[in-house]
Amino acid sequence: MRYDRQVLGYHGCTEVAAQQIHEGGRFKPSANDFDWLGKGTYFWEFGPDRALRFIEEKLARQGSAERPAVVGAIIQLGTCFDLLDTENTSSLSDVFPLFEKAMAEAGQPLPVNAGASTERKLRRLDCAVLNWYLDLAGGYQTVRGCFLEGPPVFPGAALLAEAHIQLAVRDPACIIGTFRPTLRS
């Protein structure tokens, strides 16, 4: 479906990468086999603090001395495979048996979502199905999904501390501008 709307997205990266992007460089797309929305450049929709915490945690895990940064982007969703739309989630349910068959015919085991937390953050199955379907369908420029993560925000709450909407931009032309967001000190 074509979304004629723009959203603000926030991408966590190093200060060096942010400077390169602001000087006209490109975002580096991700193509990990565990990416939640398949291949693309990842953004938190309207979530600058979450983007900053993501890169801070990533750099800490790596033991990196690089400085974290966030690049804001104006994103035209364009032809968006929006997982908040039941038409799209139904499409995935409908084609999953075809994906299973294709994997079996190729002699490949079905990927499995994994990870230590209950959120199973290594989304290998989700990634493989989305990439397979979107490559087959063709034409999708962005992918958008809502993810429920983290502990309850207070005892007994159904609201979770790290719930967010994430975007994967598959077509760099959908990134129509960048900016330096104001972040916490």
Side-chain angles (χ1 to χ4, degrees):
M1 172 176 280
R2 176 114 183 122
Y3 283 73
D4 291 322
R5 74 170 188 257
Q6 298 170 358
V7 298
L8 298 181
Y10 296 89
H11 178 81
C13 57
T14 65
E15 194 173 77
V16 170
Q19 187 62 35
Q20 290 170 345
I21 291 165
H22 289 304
E23 291 173 356
R26 294 186 155 237
F27 289 92
K28 181 182 175 190
S30 182
N32 297 308
D33 71 346
F34 55 81
D35 287 335
W36 293 20
L37 297 173
K39 61 188 173 190
T41 302
Y42 277 72
F43 295 87
W44 274 268
E45 185 175 317
F46 299 108
D49 184 65
R50 185 67 179 96
L52 180 60
R53 284 191 298 117
F54 166 80
I55 192 60
E56 287 172 340
E57 291 166 6
K58 181 179 180 180
L59 292 173
R61 276 192 315 273
Q62 295 172 345
S64 174
E66 291 186 87
R67 293 177 48 113
V70 173
V71 176
I74 303 163
I75 300 166
Q76 171 68 43
L77 292 179
T79 306
C80 180
F81 193 77
D82 192 341
L83 293 167
L84 289 120
D85 184 332
T86 56
E87 180 179 356
N88 292 327
T89 54
S90 293
S91 295
L92 287 179
S93 295
D94 293 344
V95 302
F96 183 72
L98 299 174
F99 174 78
E100 286 181 303
K101 182 179 178 187
M103 293 296 288
E105 289 173 353
Q108 298 292 318
L110 207 57
V112 176
N113 289 341
S117 69
T118 58
E119 290 104 4
R120 298 186 310 186
K121 292 187 178 190
L122 301 175
R123 304 280 177 98
R124 290 186 175 97
L125 178 61
D126 298 355
C127 181
V129 172
L130 279 164
N131 281 334
W132 178 82
Y133 178 74
L134 296 174
D135 288 347
L136 188 67
Y140 284 100
Q141 297 172 291
T142 59
V143 184
R144 182 174 180 259
C146 178
F147 297 96
L148 303 176
E149 285 189 280
V153 296
F154 52 83
L159 302 170
L160 302 179
E162 295 180 3
H164 62 278
I165 295 176
Q166 198 161 36
L167 301 170
V169 176
R170 296 169 69 89
D171 179 355
C174 290
I175 302 169
I176 57 177
T178 63
F179 59 94
R180 290 177 175 86
T182 302
L183 301 171
R184 60 181 155 87
S185 315

